[in-house]
Amino acid sequence: MWISYEWLGRHAQFEESPEDLADRLTFLGLNVDEVAPVLAHRLDGVVMARILEVEEIADDLMLCRVDAGSAGRFQVVSGAPNTRPGIYAPLAVPGTELPDGTTIQTRSVQGRQSQGMLCSARELGLDLGTADYLLEVEEARPGAPARSELGLDDWVLDLDLTPNYAVHCQSVLGVAREIRAAGGGPAASPREASNAVDDAPGIRELVSIRVADADLCPRYTATLATEVQVAPSPWWMQRDLIASGIRPINNIVDITNHVMLEYGQPLHAFDLDRVQGSEVVVRRARPGEQIITLDGHKRILEDEDLVIADSIRAIGIAGVMGAQNSEITETTRRVLLESAYFDPRSILRTSKRLGLRTQASLRFEKGRDPQGTAGPTLRALRWIQELGAGQPAAGMIDVYPERIPRRRIRFRPQQANRLLGTDLDEVEMYSYLERFGFDIEGDGDTVQVMVPSWRADVEAEVGLIEEIARLHGYNNIPAAKPLTPVPGYRPPRSEQLTQRMRKFLVGAGFFETVNYSWMSLGMLDRLGAPEGHAHRLAVEVSNPMREEQRHLRTTLLGSLLTVLKRNLARDGKEDGLRLFEVGRIYRSEKLPPEGLLDEVDCVGLVMTGPRRSGFWQGDDPTDLDFYDLKGVVEGIMDVMHIDGWSVAPTESYFLHPGRAAQLIIGGQSVGVFGELHPEAAAELDLPGRTYVAEFEIRRLAEAGDLAPKTRPLPAYPASVRDIAIVIEESVTHVEVEQTIRQAAGDLLDSISLFDVYRGGAVEEGRKSMAYSLTYRAPDRTLTDAEVERSHGRVRDALAKTLEAELRS
């Protein structure tokens, strides 16, 4: 939140520089991120001038004679529509350099000499939305520097308010109250109009207010201005708004924004002549009700949304934004000013669902002061009257059927000292609380504290203790070791196993990535996901930041492949890249609310490029292949101590047919891995072959073990036999290995595939596979006869079960 140093000084007494004041506020808990000038440019050579005479020299061109005080008198040509005698405007004399780099020179225009330039706000580096108009002010000293005379030598404090401080410090008066509490002297109260105006029509004669849903709007206050003249607001008000980051619009809108920034209470102005039936109704929206808000967008409402309506239609989304059908225009003559207390949860829910966050909603959703609705609207009414923008109607409508009581909290001074580690006496603590506006009732070891109505953030005793700590000063609280030992943290078993996997992957040359939990269905299109696939059953985000983040992701591969492509394009394609992510995906057989959303933690891998590059022993230009990825999978199984796993062929829309496998543990598939489908790689414009994998971490962790499984070194020698077979191409290594193990029995110690051959003497459609089988008994040395019996069973099983042909 931006706040003007000069504006703050009108409501609080302090002598610090902007930087010192920022330090004091930061120590109070109101963190100031930056202190910056309102206008960065010095504006040397720009002075204030009064236009004395105007002579028309061409269409839309005026020759002005101006008085610039000690700088002299000049004649200047101006094309601004508001050029006229008697006004004060900034003058850039010859030789002046403007913020955009333009150097002003004396020049001839229509045969007349122009000695300088009368400036608009834009030419001074300000955005007022009036680029063609001179920046005119009511009073100024001719010849005085424009920067100081216009109040542009002010400073802006950029406050980064935490949610609790945003409740009561999101305004000039709120920050001034904090400065006063910290010893900055009394805060000045702004003047407000009386709600009784002599000889003026009463507001109740001109409009009626009805609150149909008091649970969402406990209090609604309204005042009325008649004989309204919409015009630009005075320069001092525009300057305050600019310093706060709000662009001036017109006097009515600027007054409501100015009061909001001053009090923290949002106001809204309705054109009463456009309110049908002169009736305002605060009600829930009808399901499907539509409204075009001030930003020109059509909004479709739900019955949980609160609207301000007239007798026929909605004329505003309560606490969020008004509608075009009741906005203030140049023809507005009667203005109804709204100041209300809305349920914070309702405003937050509506603004988030609509993706519509405004200055008003940001304040209402934090909670406003239910007792503070009248003062701001009366303040706005006074400005309308004093600035000649209209006349106040007599009276005020205040619909407040059930007064919201102040919160009462039990407070124990000894508990405050215990939590803070201090030794403050009760009187000092009570003084701190009273300076913040809290009232103390009772005495003794326990008292009751009445919370101010503007402090909705203080809900419990610890909140009161925090207020004491703020005023006492965090830097004045002595540092001490905790009295009780802090227990160590032992991560759960699944987290420890996941961390082991992370370390292994980093050691294997992978880089870990962290991505958003969103995706676009367009990525699934590029990967080739068919209609009806489970990956397409994705939950839609109601207010995505970008189109690419419209759905909760159902796979990690889209994010990983996006990162892979971006890094390959940036860093070059010759070295390749290996990436992994441990993240969450979101799946459901039916989308909510019909079905429940299953949040699944997964690990995803992508790898491409050569096996090795930049190595001191030389590069290995051979590209990675399926078996490199399979080796990584085997490494994961090893570090997580998972036994009884196997690999089987599978099919997946994003994997290459024939180069796709699934990881099976305990008879269940825990994920797939293989080469990315060539069509998907082409859609993503990925160079070379890319290999991907995705596994469910929960199932890996369930099968894993923190303690490695060991067995004693063998006491007896082994006997090794080789066997070569010719089988059909469709038979897999897994099937062969299972057949051998079942036939060999307990004497088989290990099995290793050492050769696969196709072509030559091997018929087409068949392949030769050679295995090395190691036999060993734990309690004796095997005889040749025992080994031969087991090996014979293996030969018979392969021939009978797999129709294998033995090679000699």
Side-chain angles (χ1 to χ4, degrees):
M1 182 188 78
W2 291 0
I3 191 167
S4 161
Y5 175 80
E6 188 274 333
W7 191 358
L8 195 56
R10 294 179 228 158
H11 295 287
Q13 296 178 8
F14 52 83
E15 298 179 354
E16 295 106 318
S17 66
E19 291 79 7
D20 291 341
L21 180 62
D23 289 341
R24 185 173 7 156
L25 291 175
T26 299
F27 275 110
L28 277 173
L30 281 63
N31 185 49
V32 180
D33 277 349
E34 183 183 12
V35 179
V38 169
L39 191 65
H41 200 275
R42 291 173 54 85
L43 296 184
D44 293 334
V46 182
V47 298
M48 296 306 298
R50 182 172 184 268
I51 300 178
L52 301 175
E53 299 175 4
V54 171
E55 175 187 347
E56 186 174 357
I57 59 175
D59 289 343
D60 299 328
L61 284 180
M62 302 288 183
L63 180 66
C64 307
R65 292 175 177 81
V66 302
D67 175 18
S70 59
R73 294 197 173 193
F74 300 82
Q75 66 175 25
V76 182
V77 175
S78 172
N82 62 333
T83 304
R84 62 188 186 277
I87 69 170
Y88 296 86
L91 169 70
V93 301
T96 299
E97 182 178 339
L98 296 178
D100 63 0
T102 302
T103 299
I104 303 301
Q105 303 290 348
T106 299
R107 58 195 179 96
S108 178
V109 179
Q110 293 288 322
R112 311 296 285 270
Q113 192 177 53
S114 181
Q115 303 167 313
M117 183 174 71
L118 291 167
C119 299
S120 67
R122 184 184 63 179
E123 288 153 347
L124 298 183
L126 303 171
D127 179 18
L128 301 186
T130 54
D132 297 332
Y133 286 75
L134 297 180
L135 199 168
E136 62 173 283
V137 296
E138 296 79 16
E139 291 291 337
R141 296 172 299 152
R147 183 183 176 93
S148 58
E149 198 71 5
L150 294 173
L152 296 176
D153 51 357
D154 190 11
W155 292 81
V156 171
L157 281 63
D158 184 4
L159 273 63
D160 181 15
L161 297 175
T162 54
N164 56 328
Y165 295 137
V167 172
H168 64 287
C169 292
Q170 215 166 11
S171 65
V172 174
L173 288 175
V175 177
R177 190 186 295 122
E178 295 284 303
I179 295 173
R180 180 201 64 187
S189 300
R191 292 182 302 159
E192 299 165 357
S194 168
N195 61 357
V197 182
D198 296 335
D199 303 325
I203 182 174
R204 297 181 183 276
E205 302 171 14
L206 302 174
V207 64
S208 64
I209 308 290
R210 179 167 61 89
V211 178
D213 290 290
D215 58 325
L216 299 184
C217 179
R219 187 176 187 182
Y220 192 92
T221 306
T223 56
L224 178 66
T226 61
E227 302 177 30
V228 170
Q229 297 294 323
V230 178
S233 55
W235 166 247
W236 65 264
M237 182 171 285
Q238 295 187 45
R239 180 194 61 218
D240 286 348
L241 295 176
I242 293 169
S244 303
I246 294 181
R247 197 178 79 174
I249 304 297
N250 58 53
N251 51 2
I252 302 299
V253 176
D254 292 353
I255 286 171
T256 60
N257 284 333
H258 196 274
V259 171
M260 177 188 70
L261 294 171
E262 189 173 47
Y263 280 81
Q265 171 67 31
L267 305 180
H268 188 70
F270 297 98
D271 185 336
L272 184 59
D273 292 317
R274 303 175 69 183
V275 176
Q276 302 296 320
S278 296
E279 180 186 26
V280 172
V281 182
V282 186
R283 60 170 172 81
R284 281 180 166 86
R286 304 182 184 97
E289 188 170 7
Q290 298 183 4
I291 186 172
I292 299 177
T293 46
L294 291 173
D295 57 3
H297 289 84
K298 180 186 290 186
R299 313 284 180 177
I300 300 176
L301 306 177
E302 298 179 356
D303 56 5
E304 289 187 348
D305 301 325
L306 188 69
V307 298
I308 311 302
D310 57 22
S311 58
I312 298 176
R313 71 253 162 104
I315 57 175
I317 304 175
V320 181
M321 185 177 284
Q324 287 186 346
N325 57 16
S326 60
E327 70 176 319
I328 303 300
T329 66
E330 294 181 356
T331 62
T332 297
R333 293 296 174 262
R334 296 191 301 169
V335 171
L336 182 71
L337 292 173
E338 166 197 279
S339 178
Y341 175 75
F342 299 116
D343 177 60
R345 293 166 297 181
S346 170
I347 303 303
L348 177 61
R349 185 168 53 242
T350 296
S351 64
K352 289 187 70 174
R353 185 183 64 79
L354 296 176
L356 187 59
R357 308 300 289 276
T358 62
Q359 291 282 347
S361 69
L362 288 172
R363 287 167 168 81
F364 277 125
E365 67 191 33
K366 300 292 190 304
R368 293 294 94 200
D369 179 4
Q371 316 307 334
T373 61
T377 186
L378 294 174
R379 172 73 159 169
L381 207 60
R382 172 175 284 278
W383 282 132
I384 290 175
Q385 184 178 27
E386 291 190 357
L387 299 181
Q391 293 297 320
M396 174 177 66
I397 297 177
D398 188 10
V399 182
Y400 196 12
E402 187 173 345
R403 187 177 181 85
I404 299 175
R406 291 173 61 181
R407 185 177 291 117
R408 182 189 298 268
I409 298 175
R410 182 187 68 163
F411 175 67
R412 295 163 294 171
Q414 67 274 18
Q415 176 72 353
N417 278 325
R418 190 181 73 82
L419 290 181
L420 296 178
T422 55
D423 189 24
L424 303 175
D425 59 51
E426 298 174 1
V427 174
E428 189 173 7
M429 292 187 193
Y430 298 158
S431 171
Y432 288 151
L433 292 174
E434 288 170 345
R435 284 157 63 180
F436 273 131
F438 296 87
D439 294 325
I440 312 298
E441 296 181 352
D443 53 22
D445 294 337
T446 301
V447 297
Q448 297 294 317
V449 176
M450 299 295 292
V451 180
S453 58
W454 62 82
R455 292 301 303 271
D457 59 304
V458 178
E459 299 178 334
E461 185 181 34
V462 290
L464 300 175
I465 295 172
E466 180 184 358
E467 299 302 293
I468 292 170
R470 287 208 296 143
L471 273 190
H472 182 67
Y474 292 110
N475 55 325
N476 294 324
I477 297 176
K481 293 182 179 180
L483 298 178
T484 56
V486 179
Y489 171 70
R490 182 178 179 83
R493 176 177 169 278
S494 60
E495 188 176 325
Q496 294 182 61
L497 288 169
T498 302
Q499 190 61 23
R500 285 186 183 181
M501 178 181 62
R502 276 192 167 104
K503 290 181 178 179
F504 164 75
L505 290 172
V506 171
F510 284 79
F511 292 93
E512 183 171 8
T513 69
V514 179
N515 297 295
Y516 289 119
S517 297
W518 305 304
M519 69 172 190
S520 73
L521 294 183
M523 173 56 75
L524 296 181
D525 293 335
R526 289 190 286 276
L527 289 175
E531 292 296 330
H533 193 277
H535 283 178
R536 288 193 174 276
L537 204 62
V539 175
E540 186 173 356
V541 179
S542 59
N543 55 339
M545 293 188 291
R546 295 185 300 175
E547 186 61 32
E548 294 80 8
Q549 300 172 345
R550 182 165 289 279
H551 294 83
L552 291 178
R553 62 183 178 181
T554 54
T555 175
L556 300 179
L557 296 182
S559 304
L560 281 168
L561 290 169
T562 300
V563 175
L564 179 71
K565 179 180 178 180
R566 184 184 306 125
N567 282 272
L568 289 177
R570 179 177 301 169
D571 300 330
K573 304 175 182 178
E574 63 277 359
D575 292 337
L577 196 59
R578 304 182 187 194
L579 303 173
F580 80 95
E581 179 182 4
V582 174
R584 185 163 293 176
I585 62 173
Y586 305 86
R587 292 178 181 170
S588 177
E589 294 182 0
K590 291 183 179 180
L591 292 178
E594 288 79 11
L596 296 177
L597 196 61
D598 191 14
E599 301 183 17
V600 184
D601 290 325
C602 293
V603 57
L605 314 173
V606 295
M607 53 193 295
T608 187
R611 283 196 174 90
R612 186 176 67 193
S613 63
F615 191 59
W616 68 274
Q617 287 184 328
D619 295 346
D620 182 354
T622 308
D623 282 344
L624 296 165
D625 61 21
F626 174 86
Y627 295 101
D628 291 292
L629 178 58
K630 184 173 181 288
V632 173
V633 174
E634 292 173 352
I636 292 174
M637 298 299 101
D638 186 46
V639 298
M640 297 182 77
H641 306 306
I642 298 175
D643 290 333
W645 62 274
S646 62
V647 173
T650 190
E651 293 182 357
S652 178
Y653 69 86
F654 57 82
L655 293 179
H656 189 298
R659 296 174 188 162
Q662 59 179 326
L663 177 64
I664 299 174
I665 301 177
Q668 291 186 327
S669 175
V670 300
V672 297
F673 64 96
E675 181 182 334
L676 185 66
H677 199 292
E679 293 181 1
E683 282 288 333
L684 295 170
D685 194 26
L686 294 174
R689 293 179 174 178
T690 301
Y691 299 89
V692 301
E694 185 173 76
F695 306 117
E696 291 186 23
I697 289 178
R698 178 179 60 83
R699 294 188 177 181
L700 293 177
E702 287 175 351
D705 198 333
L706 291 173
K709 295 180 176 63
T710 61
R711 61 179 182 178
L713 292 173
Y716 299 93
S719 181
V720 179
R721 297 285 191 274
D722 292 343
I723 187 170
I725 58 175
V726 176
I727 57 176
E728 294 293 328
E729 185 69 53
S730 60
V731 179
T732 66
H733 161 70
V734 173
E735 293 175 284
V736 175
E737 183 179 0
Q738 288 176 345
T739 301
I740 292 174
R741 288 189 181 279
Q742 290 173 1
D746 295 338
L747 295 182
L748 182 65
D749 185 67
S750 65
I751 178 172
S752 174
L753 172 68
F754 65 85
D755 183 58
V756 179
Y757 177 73
R758 296 176 179 85
V762 179
E763 298 178 22
E764 185 176 352
R766 292 170 72 81
K767 59 187 175 183
S768 171
M769 303 180 73
Y771 290 85
S772 177
L773 280 60
T774 302
Y775 296 92
R776 191 195 311 269
D779 56 351
R780 68 188 185 280
T781 300
L782 294 175
T783 64
D784 287 341
E786 288 178 304
V787 173
E788 186 56 36
R789 280 196 300 272
S790 292
H791 203 60
R793 290 197 300 270
V794 169
R795 287 193 297 266
D796 294 341
L798 289 173
K800 183 178 179 179
T801 305
L802 302 179
E803 299 181 354
E805 188 180 311
L806 296 178
R807 295 184 63 191
S808 57

